[in-house]
Amino acid sequence: MGVVNTLLDVGLFLLLHEPLGIVLANFVSTSAGMTFSFVVNGLFTFRADRLTLRHAVLFLATTGTVMWVLQPVVISLLLEVVEPIVVVKVLAIAVSFVANFAAYKFVVWPATSAERESAV
């Protein structure tokens, strides 16, 4: 799931960063990845019975913060010391992956995660 999400994000970013600029390209690519990630993580990774409006709001708030605030900051910092831009984007995705997973597990789908752990 994460690989497909990452390929979608990186592919769109690389396609769009020159015509749109880094910030707008990152917004578009991460938004597409977020949409895919919400459905896939909710239903498969965290095994939610259904996706609710509450899940969507929490997901948007946490993932939006990570993808639209944290990731551009990481990209900006890494651009000073790392090349090419695809490496910068992949490293920023790695940081985002960790932050997002923690947010999903503890904020968006905490009951589902707790139930699954107790079943193991």
Side-chain angles (χ1 to χ4, degrees):
M1 313 283 178
V3 171
V4 173
N5 190 47
T6 300
L7 290 173
L8 177 64
D9 187 0
V10 171
L12 282 173
F13 179 78
L14 291 175
L15 182 69
L16 299 173
H17 86 275
E18 284 191 29
L20 298 181
I22 289 173
V23 173
L24 186 55
N26 192 65
F27 179 80
V28 171
S29 70
T30 56
S31 296
M34 284 171 53
T35 303
F36 174 80
S37 183
F38 174 69
V39 173
V40 172
N41 277 305
L43 297 177
F44 299 104
T45 304
F46 293 98
R47 302 189 191 281
D49 293 333
R50 61 190 175 99
L51 300 176
T52 66
L53 179 58
R54 179 182 182 279
H55 290 141
V57 169
L58 290 171
F59 185 90
L60 182 60
T62 58
T63 309
T65 300
V66 170
M67 302 307 279
W68 297 330
V69 177
L70 178 64
Q71 194 174 100
V73 168
V74 171
I75 288 171
S76 295
L77 293 172
L78 289 176
L79 278 173
E80 300 296 321
V81 294
V82 178
E83 287 187 24
I85 196 162
V86 68
V87 173
V88 170
K89 178 65 174 174
V90 170
L91 291 172
I93 287 172
V95 171
S96 299
F97 176 80
V98 174
N100 278 331
F101 186 83
Y104 302 159
K105 182 174 174 113
F106 298 111
V107 177
V108 182
W109 291 288
T112 306
S113 299
E115 292 167 5
R116 191 177 54 191
E117 287 174 5
S118 68
V120 173

